[in-house]
Amino acid sequence: MAKRDLRNEKLFSRAKNYLVGGVDSPVRSFHYVGGDPILIRKGKGAQVYDYSGNKYIDYVLSCGSLILGHVHPEVIKDLTSILSSGLSFGTTHKSEVELAKVLQEAIPQIKKIRFVNSGTEAVMSAIRLARGYTDRPKIVKFTNSYHGHADSLLVKAGSGLATLAIPVSSGVPPEFTEHTLVVPYADFSAIERIFRKYGPEIAAVLVEPVGGNYGVIQPQTSFLKYIRDITQRYKALLIFDEVITGFRFHFGTAAEILGIEPDLIILGKIIGGGLPIGAYGGNDRIMRHLAPLGKVYQASTFSGNPVVMQAGLTTLRVLSQRQDDYKRLEIFAEYLTKSIEDAAKRRNLALKIARFGSMFSFKLNSKRYFKLFYQQMLKKGIYFAPSEFEANFLSFAHSSKDIEETALKAKKVISTL
Ligand code: PMP
């Protein structure tokens, strides 16, 4: 049971004096679940520790980035050994070339790649590239999908906008979203209508192949194949936003699992091993439109810096050596979610879990129940994502003991709801 201790609360109250709402990203504020957020002092493997000394099993994992868990020894060892050589040079670095090579070899559609510093930046740049390449202005996205906080995409989005019930962000002039067409996911006739009406103006369709920002949303393969066909018919690009899903289910993309070949793939999170990263890649014909070869401009001071590149490189090396363990992650996730669902069924509690591979999310019949469930689990040392709209993740560091402990605690909590 988490101890009551004022250290965490005091730090959060101090944070509010200096940071807006005490945070640098809205969902972290626990706005949805209420109460003070836990502030994490350190992590190790699948565990994190707050400033009050409480230990939690972590299913947030820096929003899905830390697939190897916290402070993986090989990642830390490689980082430590390169730190003394310098942090950032603003020139191409060997680790950058190596990481690009690993990604090119793992992902058939990627012949060239560009690294940036976040998923947001990667999406924003990939859209610019799609517009530059096709010489068309419009982008199609899906209701409740989230692709980072670029102005033109902050419309009917998931993640923090869903959590805070913000349909369109204030501060975005209507002209900035004028070329964003929003279609309900898996609505074949809506996408057909959009293409019939705007086809020659559509540069790209942007989609999360497995939804991770309005709870977990199962991929509809036939729909994704349909948008592959329709984009080809209208000579628009298909962009898969794999910021969450890249290297989450196997050593590669969700595109590969689903048997679909997008034109551009956006990566982030896992490929940076826990440090800030984004990347986008595709075939040479498209990618060469980027400056310095082409006229689509995109630049950055810190992109490809050796520290981030090394964290990504070592993470991918470990993942490639442990590819069989992905199956274990899925088995753990299936066991955990099924145990929780069974406990809820026995109590007649309307708790639904959506899962794909090692990512899952909860929905309860009311926000009040979700809050109760969440707060009780947190008190018992289980750190889930603090919103029904955010995904939870497993890491290679979670043990069967962690999973069993979580399932048992969930059963106890459910029996009291
Ligand atoms: N795309 C998707 C699918 C995401 O889930 C996110 C963030 N969770 C982003 C883009 C934005 O990434 P970042 O937070 O690194 O800017």
Side-chain angles (χ1 to χ4, degrees), residues 118-121 123 146-149 208 213 241 243-244 269 277:
S118 68
T120 297
E121 218 182 314
V123 174
Y146 179 71
H147 301 283
H149 66 91
E208 292 176 71
N213 286 292
D241 180 345
V243 166
I244 290 182
K269 300 198 193 258
I277 199 165

